[in-house]
Amino acid sequence: MPVVLNNLRKEYVAPDGSTVPVIHVRHFELADGEQVALIGSSGSGKTTLLHLLAGILTPDAGEILFQLNGQATDIARLSEAHRDVFRGRHIGYIFQTHHLLAGFTALENVQLGMSFTNRASDPAWARHLLAEVGLADRLHYKPDRLSVGQQQRVAVARALANRPQLVLADEPTGALDAKNAQQVLDLIRALCVEVGAGLLLVSHDMNIARQLPRVLELSELNQTAAPNG
């Protein structure tokens, strides 16, 4: 699913009432199935940009165009409810920390990821994803019985549950040691290829970022020096 950003702007209001520019992207394109690493200093706006792409935040101006079946959908013009539906159907989001539901098993957490759309739950696909991330023997374990690395693997499987066309990953290896970080990165990339999803991955770790085919520095993309984000 190709993505195009045009003249995208996001600002915040500071406590003193002044306007703080965070994101100003004149133009950016992510090709169908492309895997890109986005790097930048802390507070530079990387998470804000992902939230805009996911429809969690709305921009103050500009376009966020998703090309689907030959037609462009500008999610910046959708209502919050329609953005939620669009995200559930087409976008997978991986957070730095797993955000699993403590009272549910690994399998249930992945299946719950399917419940945000009108598609029928697919237990076989959920089991397949958990097997792919090495947790076939942990299907019925709740998060408190899983290691941090295993919890993040469940989060990866959950993000791919609806076979998204785009995966947004916000420092998905930031809380992991080097060995687990590499394993999780490899899983994300492989599963994106399996479902045909593009990947935009935020990382502060150049050892992680440089493994993706394209590395983009946010300051090259962003037209404003953003002190927050």
Side-chain angles (χ1 to χ4, degrees):
M1 178 173 65
V3 183
V4 179
L5 307 182
N6 288 316
N7 296 314
L8 187 67
R9 294 176 181 266
K10 184 63 181 177
E11 300 175 339
Y12 290 117
V13 178
D16 63 2
S18 62
T19 299
V20 181
V22 178
I23 293 293
H24 180 194
V25 176
R26 294 191 184 280
H27 185 76
F28 170 68
E29 295 186 16
L30 183 73
D32 189 23
E34 185 178 13
Q35 297 191 357
V36 176
L38 181 66
I39 61 173
S41 60
S42 178
S44 61
K46 302 184 300 296
T47 295
T48 297
L49 182 58
L50 289 193
H51 282 183
L52 288 167
L53 281 163
I56 297 170
L57 293 175
T58 54
D60 296 305
E63 297 177 324
I64 306 171
L65 301 173
F66 290 86
Q67 305 287 338
L68 288 167
N69 302 318
Q71 295 185 342
T73 297
D74 182 1
I75 65 166
R77 297 180 179 274
L78 299 180
S79 68
E80 182 177 356
H82 283 93
R83 291 198 309 274
D84 289 345
V85 171
F86 186 93
R87 181 170 58 252
R89 290 178 177 173
H90 303 294
I91 299 172
Y93 203 108
I94 306 171
F95 299 89
Q96 180 173 352
T97 52
H98 49 79
H99 290 294
L100 300 180
L101 296 176
F104 294 85
T105 66
L107 181 60
E108 290 168 339
N109 266 280
V110 175
Q111 289 182 276
L112 282 168
M114 301 175 180
S115 68
F116 298 113
T117 72
N118 58 6
R119 297 173 182 171
S121 179
D122 188 345
W125 176 242
R127 289 172 180 271
H128 169 76
L129 287 171
L130 286 168
E132 287 292 288
V133 299
L135 295 176
D137 60 344
R138 298 289 190 273
L139 299 179
H140 304 295
Y141 283 45
K142 292 182 179 178
D144 63 356
R145 296 185 61 196
L146 300 173
S147 69
V148 174
Q150 289 171 335
Q151 291 172 10
Q152 193 66 334
R153 288 168 182 238
V154 176
V156 170
R158 180 184 57 191
L160 275 294
N162 286 326
R163 297 179 175 87
Q165 286 87 35
L166 174 66
V167 171
L168 302 172
D170 192 0
E171 298 278 8
T173 63
L176 305 177
D177 60 39
K179 179 180 178 181
N180 277 297
Q182 186 63 55
Q183 291 175 344
V184 167
L185 174 66
D186 292 342
L187 290 169
I188 292 170
R189 297 192 64 197
L191 287 172
C192 283
V193 171
E194 181 176 345
V195 303
L199 172 64
L200 183 61
L201 182 145
V202 163
S203 181
H204 69 277
D205 185 347
M206 280 304 300
N207 291 325
I208 294 292
R210 67 167 58 100
Q211 295 182 52
L212 275 68
R214 180 182 172 196
V215 179
L216 181 65
E217 167 67 52
L218 183 59
S219 62
E220 299 174 9
L221 185 66
N222 203 10
Q223 299 297 309
T224 183
N228 297 299

